[in-house]
Amino acid sequence: MRPAPLEGVKVLEAATLFAGPLAATFLGDFGADVTKIEHPSRPDAARTHGASKDGVGLWFKTLGRNKRLATLDLSRGRDVFLSLVRSHDVLVENFRPGTLERWGLGPDVLLEANPRLVIARVTAFGQVGPWSRRPGFGSLAEAMSGFAAVTGEPDGPPTLPPFGLADGITALATAYAVLVALRERDRSGAGQVIDMAIIEPILMMLGGGITAYQQTGYVQPRLGNRSSNNAPRNVYKTADGRWVAVSTSSQSIAERVVTLVGRPDLVAQPWFATGRERAEHADELDDAVGSWIAERPLELVMEEFEKAEAAVGPVHDIRGIVSDPQYAALGTIVSVDDDELGGPVAMQNVLFRLSESPGEIKWAGRPHGANTDEVLAEIGVTPDQLAALRAAGVV
């Protein structure tokens, strides 16, 4: 096997919660040497989000995987931080704009210390503009991007997702931006600053709404589980109380679905010829598909759809995910040994499979400050200096 794709890339993460840290996780999964910096007395709040066991945050086991964890108060440990910056390729930070500058650690100072440094600045609203210095989180991006406005039932309120959707999309975008900047550095030899605003990547994922509004004035309404682009497209309840999702984004699949449920006559209707026209007849199509599914248990529904080569998927909760044979075949869920929890910890695997240089989860998220001594020793901090820094609360 070849070396890991990002082997030799050193990433310094000075970020909390989700978008910045998850971007660093994605880089670490494919071989980057990631060192996460946390405040000595205020650990990353992600450690307390979600479920816990024996006081150990379980979400952080995934978010902190493949990272060495060190503590440092950047506001008082400026010189130590600059020494770390000099030995790294990438810095991922998510302080509110102006914070690093106030500590004498703005991009100009960082790039003077290390001209090859790629600095990914991840904030809610970006580095410029009237909102740039406001506090913000992914939920605000989900609202401002238009996502919440189009999510939910037609007669219900705008709906936010129950997880960090905007943060996750931003993390992917940030990891991509870092790789682009590193590729450009290969040519120019110089680092640069990435300005990543959480309100932007999710907006891109919402499709052509801006263009449609500019060209036609169209404003997408809330449609529940339906789509304005195709039908039938919904979730339907089976005879045994389970739910399945059906999608007909292509014309051929739409034809197979209505034929399967005993309504081949619908294919001959003039309005059936395009997805948008089918969406205008969603009530009739939902009634045909929904009534057929309601008479059959989940297993039979899945079998019949497979025979018809029509698109269907079960609506899983976490129990369905961990027992699903397709996820098992892909190796989507893996177990990682963890000393802190005293046994294997299950989590999502790396995002994709490379045939010759696959990613790897070497360890789960570690305790706060687990690698401080090791990380600081690498930049020449002596045991006596470390003891002094620790006594002063800097690490």
Side-chain angles (χ1 to χ4, degrees):
M1 302 297 282
R2 302 171 188 167
L6 299 181
E7 184 175 313
V9 175
K10 298 188 68 175
V11 178
L12 193 61
E13 176 200 315
T16 58
L17 292 173
F18 308 113
L22 186 56
T25 301
F26 292 148
L27 298 172
D29 283 350
F30 285 90
D33 177 5
V34 179
T35 298
K36 178 179 178 65
I37 302 297
E38 296 179 86
H39 192 278
S41 60
R42 296 190 299 275
D44 188 342
R47 290 181 177 276
T48 61
H49 276 248
S52 64
K53 180 181 179 183
D54 300 330
V56 177
L58 300 179
W59 192 350
F60 191 80
K61 288 298 173 184
T62 298
L63 192 63
R65 71 192 190 193
N66 290 338
K67 299 178 183 180
R68 298 191 296 165
L69 303 183
T71 61
L72 179 66
D73 181 345
L74 271 60
S75 66
R76 296 193 294 152
R78 178 180 180 274
D79 291 342
V80 175
F81 189 68
L82 286 175
S83 293
L84 287 168
V85 162
R86 291 186 185 98
S87 65
H88 282 75
D89 301 285
V90 178
L91 168 64
V92 179
E93 65 94 1
N94 71 341
F95 292 98
R96 207 183 305 180
T99 302
L100 285 182
E101 287 82 352
R102 189 169 70 250
W103 295 338
L105 291 169
D108 56 335
V109 175
L110 299 175
L111 287 169
E112 182 179 1
N114 181 357
R116 291 175 55 82
L117 185 68
V118 170
I119 307 170
R121 312 196 77 179
V122 184
T123 59
F125 308 114
Q127 297 294 317
V128 300
W131 282 47
S132 62
R133 299 203 176 198
R134 294 187 183 186
F137 300 98
S139 296
L140 304 189
E142 289 144 12
M144 292 178 66
S145 66
F147 173 86
V150 300
T151 304
E153 294 300 323
D155 57 352
T159 302
L160 296 169
F163 63 99
L165 176 63
D167 283 281
I169 295 171
T170 300
L172 288 166
T174 302
Y176 167 51
V178 166
L179 296 179
V180 171
L182 288 173
R183 178 67 181 91
E184 195 281 332
R185 192 188 71 173
D186 288 344
R187 294 188 301 204
S188 70
Q192 60 182 301
V193 179
I194 299 164
D195 180 2
M196 180 66 67
I198 297 175
I199 60 173
E200 291 185 301
I202 187 173
L203 182 59
M204 186 65 178
M205 297 301 103
L206 286 168
I210 290 174
T211 306
Y213 177 71
Q214 183 263 330
Q215 292 288 317
T216 69
Y218 175 74
V219 178
Q220 182 176 336
R222 284 190 291 282
L223 298 171
N225 290 313
R226 289 178 172 176
S227 168
S228 59
N229 298 311
N230 65 81
R233 192 264 199 182
N234 214 323
V235 294
Y236 307 94
K237 195 172 186 178
T238 66
D240 52 351
R242 300 289 299 278
W243 291 86
V244 295
V246 173
S247 178
T248 57
S249 293
S250 72
Q251 184 67 22
S252 62
I253 296 293
E255 294 174 5
R256 292 172 195 168
V257 169
V258 296
T259 300
L260 170 64
V261 302
R263 293 297 306 275
D265 57 295
L266 294 173
V267 178
Q269 296 294 327
W271 51 261
F272 199 86
T274 70
R276 184 163 287 278
E277 288 181 291
R278 294 199 310 273
E280 294 172 358
H281 293 78
D283 286 343
E284 184 176 357
L285 291 166
D286 275 347
D287 181 66
V289 176
S291 60
W292 185 90
I293 289 175
E295 296 174 351
R296 293 161 175 82
L298 175 66
E299 185 175 356
L300 182 58
V301 170
M302 298 298 294
E303 289 176 359
E304 293 300 316
F305 265 77
E306 183 177 4
K307 290 177 185 176
E309 297 186 16
V312 67
V315 177
H316 282 325
D317 61 16
I318 199 68
R319 294 166 294 187
I321 294 169
V322 299
S323 61
D324 188 284
Q326 183 59 34
Y327 280 131
L330 292 171
T332 305
I333 300 172
V334 295
S335 288
V336 182
D337 288 333
D338 183 73
D339 292 339
E340 191 176 20
L341 290 173
V345 175
M347 64 181 65
Q348 301 94 319
N349 206 343
V350 299
L351 281 176
F352 46 86
R353 288 160 293 281
L354 296 180
S355 63
E356 304 304 324
S357 53
E360 179 185 7
I361 302 171
K362 297 179 181 178
W363 61 81
R366 291 169 169 172
H368 181 231
N371 306 104
T372 300
D373 293 14
E374 167 193 336
V375 168
L376 296 190
E378 290 175 357
I379 58 170
V381 176
T382 68
D384 288 345
Q385 290 171 328
L386 180 61
L389 290 169
R390 187 162 279 134
V394 177
V395 300

